[in-house]
Amino acid sequence: DAGVIQSPRHEVTEMGQEVTLRCKPISGHNSLFWYRQTMMRGLELLIYFNNNVPIDDSGMPEDRFSAKMPNASFSTLKIQPSEPRDSAVYFCASSLGGEGSYEQYFGPGTRLTVT
Amino acid sequence: DAKTTQPPSMDCAEGRAANLPCNHSTISGNEYVYWYRQIHSQGPQYIIHGLKNNETNEMASLIITEDRKSSTLILPHATLRDTAVYYCIVREDRDDKIIFGKGTRLHILP
């Protein structure tokens, strides 16, 4: 398996622009997670899905952020409008989900820079 | 908030065993101890987990105290490639979420 795939790997955009990050989880995994990592705040869970349904979005910073999972093999994280403080590395992870599912597999991340 | 306390950084000589401590004094009976690590510029990687018995796999050993209030991750023969941030996490088996703390930055010295 190719592992969790994220695109783009790097994104540079100007303040106010819309940014869409994409994730393809490992086939057969039922849970998908979006994280954000900065030096100041460390690794934060933004939202996670189980069977394509958002289960916990309490980590989503504000209404400018939205996430969707239209099917089991694709998810997006959108920021509109983007701000410089959104600059971070965004990771997507997937797992089998449920009891006995002990390992999350992380993608390589998307490094976002908002100028 | 993370339920664990770890030293911010540690050094270990290459070839020696690296022992990374973690305090989780408020752990409940149905929470597991997990360890992940994050090598620079990569996503975190699962290492090992346990409930109350000591565990060993090809990467590391996990020693959990009898009262389960602390644990130690052991990398038996550290190499330069083990330089990373190591996260100790407590989590219920039925809970999909992982809450990462600040971790321990391990430096392997040549």
Side-chain angles (χ1 to χ4, degrees):
Chain A
D1 200 313
V4 176
I5 299 172
Q6 292 187 247
S7 65
R9 295 291 309 275
H10 301 272
E11 177 81 33
V12 180
T13 191
E14 292 185 348
M15 183 174 63
Q17 297 298 305
E18 177 179 297
V19 175
T20 298
L21 311 181
R22 296 173 176 80
C23 175
K24 177 179 169 54
I26 292 173
S27 177
H29 281 189
N30 297 314
S31 292
L32 182 140
F33 308 82
W34 283 101
Y35 293 86
R36 176 175 69 176
Q37 187 169 35
T38 62
M39 288 292 292
M40 290 293 295
R41 301 177 66 89
L43 197 57
E44 304 173 278
L45 176 65
L46 300 178
I47 184 170
Y48 83 94
F49 296 82
N50 184 261
N51 293 322
N52 313 335
V53 176
I55 303 300
D56 185 345
D57 65 354
S58 59
M60 295 286 264
E62 49 196 275
D63 292 346
R64 296 184 299 106
F65 286 68
S66 62
K68 294 183 179 180
M69 192 164 186
N71 57 62
S73 59
F74 183 65
S75 176
T76 59
L77 178 68
K78 186 176 294 186
I79 308 173
Q80 166 62 18
S82 58
E83 297 182 4
R85 61 192 168 121
D86 302 330
S87 297
V89 180
Y90 291 81
F91 289 103
C92 176
S94 70
S95 73
L96 287 171
E99 288 192 38
S101 169
Y102 54 84
E103 183 171 357
Q104 286 188 15
Y105 296 79
F106 283 76
T110 295
R111 181 173 296 277
L112 173 65
T113 303
V114 183
T115 61
Chain B
D1 291 331
K3 301 179 182 179
T4 62
T5 304
Q6 298 177 254
S9 67
M10 291 182 63
D11 292 338
C12 179
E14 188 177 17
R16 306 298 293 268
N19 296 278
L20 293 92
C22 180
N23 185 294
H24 32 79
S25 58
T26 61
I27 192 170
S28 61
N30 57 350
E31 287 182 317
Y32 287 71
V33 180
Y34 284 76
W35 285 83
Y36 279 71
R37 75 178 182 184
Q38 186 175 22
I39 295 170
H40 182 62
S41 298
Q42 298 182 21
Q45 175 193 23
Y46 165 85
I47 301 173
I48 198 168
H49 77 286
L51 183 62
K52 49 186 173 182
N53 297 323
N54 297 338
E55 302 288 343
T56 296
N57 63 20
E58 66 278 5
M59 289 182 68
S61 295
L62 173 60
I63 308 298
I64 303 174
T65 58
E66 194 167 339
D67 63 6
R68 303 207 326 120
K69 293 186 177 184
S70 65
S71 61
T72 301
L73 179 74
I74 301 172
L75 308 178
H77 305 287
T79 71
L80 295 177
R81 288 176 295 181
D82 293 321
T83 293
V85 178
Y86 287 77
Y87 298 97
C88 172
I89 298 150
V90 296
R91 170 191 168 210
E92 287 189 28
D93 188 42
R94 61 183 174 85
D95 190 355
D96 277 338
K97 288 197 310 186
I98 292 178
I99 304 300
F100 287 87
K102 298 186 186 305
T104 295
R105 187 172 295 277
L106 177 66
H107 298 101
I108 305 301
L109 307 175

